[in-house]
Amino acid sequence: MMKGTSVKTAMLMAAGLGKRMRPLTATRPKPLVRVAGKPLIDHALARLEAGGIERTVVNVHYLPDTLIAHVRARKTPMEILISDEREKLLETGGGLVRAMPLLGDAPFLCVNSDNIWIDGPQDSIAMLGSHWDDDKMDALLLLVPHARAHCHKGSGDFHMDNMGRLTRRRPGRLAPFVFTGVQLVSPRLLREPPTDAFSTNFFWSRAIEEGRLYGVSHGGLWFDVGSPAAIPAAEAIIAGG
């Protein structure tokens, strides 16, 4: 199969409870918390629009009606579909499986709504598409070097070999790459889910064992906007950039 794919569909993960963002999430879902003049989800939707995405599936759970009303009021040529998890929060892996009927059979983009990224020399969505190799990959993760992971407090997530294959951070060590919350996913990754509510980590671990989890390094800015304290820090860097 020829390398590369044109990405037209995305999943926007917006169903979380936003506990780390309290008290700002007491009265609004986390994706509607404002950063640099607009809600987090609008930053993500703008990147998807700029990247040529034609259809986006948004999953909802906490204060779902507020979020649904916001995305439906948005003026956009992009088709927006809702995957409703109001009855039970399915976590990241379960949310993807629930949305599968809306996502189609081709590789699709999956984006967390609480990260902001600004492209560097390359359009990140196009870069993921150009690096995609369907024969080798079940998922291709957009990673950022640990030293450039703004507002991020973790120890890193992955090691990447010279072919782009990923392995997990080793216990007690720093890993050189942080997951940006953006990945290109084959529907193959989602086969045989373990239960209805579970983390995407289940799928990643299986893909690592099979040598089918890959990464590519992001050359622009990235912000982990997971807590109230991260908001002014991110805004200062964005304003200065």
Side-chain angles (χ1 to χ4, degrees), residues 10-12 45 48 53-58 78-81:
M11 172 83 187
L12 185 53
L45 288 169
L48 296 178
I53 298 299
E54 297 175 356
R55 176 179 52 180
T56 295
V57 179
V58 180
M78 188 166 60
E79 181 184 15
I80 296 180
L81 304 174

Side-chain angles (χ1 to χ4, degrees), residues 128-228:
L128 285 167
S130 67
H131 280 76
W132 182 258
D133 186 336
D134 205 64
D135 291 338
K136 294 180 178 179
M137 302 172 182
D138 283 346
L140 177 62
L141 279 54
L142 185 67
L143 307 174
V144 65
H146 189 274
R148 294 197 291 105
H150 295 295
C151 311
H152 186 72
K153 305 296 185 186
S155 301
D157 301 312
F158 293 104
H159 297 266
M160 182 163 56
D161 70 14
N162 58 6
M163 301 295 290
R165 279 187 301 260
L166 301 183
T167 53
R168 300 266 189 194
R169 178 177 65 85
R170 302 176 185 97
R173 303 281 187 89
L174 283 176
F177 290 100
V178 173
F179 175 51
T180 63
V182 181
Q183 59 181 318
L184 188 52
V185 175
S186 166
R188 274 191 310 270
L189 183 77
L190 310 183
R191 70 187 188 278
E192 298 169 11
T195 180
D196 58 348
F198 64 97
S199 168
T200 310
N201 280 306
F202 170 83
F203 291 139
W204 285 350
S205 294
R206 182 173 64 192
I208 288 172
E209 289 173 11
E210 296 171 352
R212 297 185 63 83
L213 190 72
Y214 282 74
V216 63
S217 183
H218 175 54
L221 293 174
W222 177 80
F223 306 89
D224 180 357
V225 193
S227 67

Side-chain angles (χ1 to χ4, degrees), residues 87-164:
E87 291 181 7
K88 181 179 181 180
L89 185 61
L90 298 174
E91 300 182 49
T92 51
L96 278 170
V97 172
R98 166 69 68 86
M100 278 185 72
L102 303 174
L103 291 168
D105 300 325
F108 62 90
L109 198 70
C110 179
V111 176
N112 294 348
S113 61
D114 57 353
N115 304 131
I116 295 175
W117 85 93
I118 298 171
D119 284 335
Q122 289 183 282
D123 177 284
S124 300
I125 296 173
M127 180 174 66
L128 285 167
S130 67
H131 280 76
W132 182 258
D133 186 336
D134 205 64
D135 291 338
K136 294 180 178 179
M137 302 172 182
D138 283 346
L140 177 62
L141 279 54
L142 185 67
L143 307 174
V144 65
H146 189 274
R148 294 197 291 105
H150 295 295
C151 311
H152 186 72
K153 305 296 185 186
S155 301
D157 301 312
F158 293 104
H159 297 266
M160 182 163 56
D161 70 14
N162 58 6
M163 301 295 290

